[in-house]
Amino acid sequence: MGVKADRQAEEFTAFVRSSGTQLHQAAMLLTGDHHLAEDLTQATYAKVFVHWRRVQTADSPLAYARTTLLNTFLSHRRLRRNSERPSDLTDADLSPPPGADPGTRVDLLAALAGLPPLDRAVVVLRYWEDRSVADTATHLRISESAVRTRARRALLRLRPLIDPVSERTHP
């Protein structure tokens, strides 16, 4: 390898180290399965690496990687190559952040797994990554109205699954 290739490999490695946790968490929310999330993250980085020369000069390499992650997830779901569904999520698979209630995180992932892939993507982009309606619509190639509708319906389905007590007190 030449000096330039070595430098690019080092820059890509630094990018993976700085963005790995963030992309893996988004993949985990999208897939609901630790192993599928790892596969999705790895496939994303493979695609980013192929175009790294162009990606590293972009305004935001992380935004490029996030878009690639989302498109890879949606493509995989469309192909329906994998008919397996996650059934048992454990605390070890989820590795909650310090101070977070692991039970709530398990409930959230299980609830997200019950949503259709596009609804799950809307929820992850809008509320996990805190993207605007317009940005979410652009990334998913759907209308802003569809984003708002899907988000509202998904949240209505998620709320009773995550916190059934609040649903009884606040219908």
Side-chain angles (χ1 to χ4, degrees), residues 158-169:
L158 290 174
R159 281 189 182 116
L161 299 172
I162 294 170
D163 190 10
V165 173
S166 70
E167 193 61 28
R168 278 186 251 134
T169 58

Side-chain angles (χ1 to χ4, degrees), residues 63 66-67 70 121-122 125-126 129-144 147-148:
R66 284 180 175 159
T67 300
L70 180 64
V122 167
L125 290 175
R126 284 284 294 130
E129 294 190 357
D130 198 26
R131 294 188 186 193
S132 68
V133 170
D135 191 32
T136 302
T138 300
H139 277 67
L140 296 175
R141 296 184 183 111
I142 59 177
S143 70
E144 291 182 24
V147 168
R148 286 188 292 272

Side-chain angles (χ1 to χ4, degrees), residues 71-84:
N71 290 340
T72 303
F73 167 73
L74 291 173
S75 261
H76 174 74
R77 297 301 300 173
R78 271 188 229 113
L79 293 175
R80 302 222 185 257
R81 278 188 257 156
N82 185 353
S83 61
E84 295 178 33

Side-chain angles (χ1 to χ4, degrees), residues 56-69:
Q56 70 181 357
T57 61
D59 289 339
S60 175
L62 181 58
Y64 183 95
R66 284 180 175 159
T67 300
T68 303
L69 177 87

Side-chain angles (χ1 to χ4, degrees), residues 21-34 36-38 40-41 69-70 73 86 89 93-94 104-117 119-130 158 162:
T21 301
Q22 207 172 10
L23 283 182
H24 184 264
Q25 287 176 342
M28 184 67 196
L29 289 171
L30 288 168
T31 63
D33 178 83
H34 176 70
L36 288 176
E38 285 181 348
L40 178 58
T41 305
L69 177 87
L70 180 64
F73 167 73
L89 297 174
D93 289 336
L94 304 174
T104 301
R105 189 167 172 118
V106 171
D107 290 346
L108 174 62
L109 289 170
L112 281 171
L115 293 176
D119 289 355
R120 192 175 326 149
V122 167
V123 170
V124 170
L125 290 175
R126 284 284 294 130
Y127 303 107
W128 177 258
E129 294 190 357
D130 198 26
L158 290 174
I162 294 170

Side-chain angles (χ1 to χ4, degrees), residues 8 12 15 43-58 61 64-65 68:
Q8 284 186 339
F12 181 75
F15 171 72
T44 298
Y45 280 129
K47 291 176 181 182
V48 170
F49 181 74
V50 168
H51 302 288
W52 183 243
R53 273 181 148 173
R54 184 181 52 187
V55 172
Q56 70 181 357
T57 61
Y64 183 95
T68 303

